[in-house]
Amino acid sequence: MADAFTTRVLNVASGSSERIVDLTGDCEAFLREVAAGRDGLLNVFIPHATAGVAVIETGAGSDDDLLAALHTLLPADDRWQHRHGSPGHGRDHVLPAIVPPHATLPVVNGQLELGTWQSVCLVDTNRDNPQRKVRFTFLAGS
């Protein structure tokens, strides 16, 4: 089946400040185009060494709480061995070990199956890279 596996790359302007970007609408738009009412899996992958994907609540403070927690765990200071870029940039390279650069999510009847308050988000603490790519891949069930 040629349409059992479909992938697309989205370009995201994440800006020059730490940010959480809600990708849920982009995921849903991709699935409307390719899933055609089928069940399967959606994989979201960030092909960067300094960003991740989180499934979290947004808009009620959780996104800011996540950035604050990452500041506590990964302070932007001079402790990091990886030292190119802006001060503290080494911590951005540790981020994907805590917030992985991928998520695989269920799709039922062509719809993303998230909980009531869940959103799919790009987590980007790297101020040096204002442009990101996000790869969406839909794998249809048999």
Side-chain angles (χ1 to χ4, degrees):
M1 285 178 121
D3 62 348
F5 180 89
T6 307
T7 191
R8 184 161 304 135
V9 175
L10 173 71
N11 292 304
V12 176
S14 58
S16 58
S17 62
E18 296 178 1
R19 224 168 136 202
I20 294 180
V21 179
D22 190 338
L23 300 172
T24 310
D26 298 303
C27 292
E28 292 168 340
F30 172 68
L31 291 172
R32 277 192 300 275
E33 289 180 35
V34 303
R38 297 176 292 171
D39 294 349
L41 296 171
L42 172 67
N43 181 265
V44 180
F45 178 69
I46 312 292
H48 296 278
T50 59
V53 176
V55 178
I56 62 169
E57 178 181 9
T58 59
S62 297
D63 36 359
D64 291 332
D65 290 342
L66 176 57
L67 288 175
L70 291 171
H71 272 275
T72 299
L73 293 170
L74 305 170
D77 58 24
D78 63 357
R79 74 183 69 201
W80 308 100
Q81 299 299 308
H82 187 103
R83 293 186 184 255
H84 76 83
S86 60
H89 175 65
R91 60 115 184 206
D92 299 326
H93 287 274
V94 177
L95 174 76
I98 296 168
V99 181
H102 58 86
T104 301
L105 306 161
V107 176
V108 177
N109 294 324
Q111 302 285 318
L112 189 58
E113 283 289 298
L114 293 173
T116 302
W117 304 112
Q118 290 180 316
S119 296
V120 181
C121 299
L122 163 69
V123 179
D124 189 357
T125 59
N126 183 356
R127 298 178 311 237
D128 296 338
N129 190 351
Q131 296 291 323
R132 296 298 187 163
K133 293 190 181 306
V134 179
R135 178 174 294 279
F136 297 133
T137 304
F138 175 68
L139 178 61
S142 55

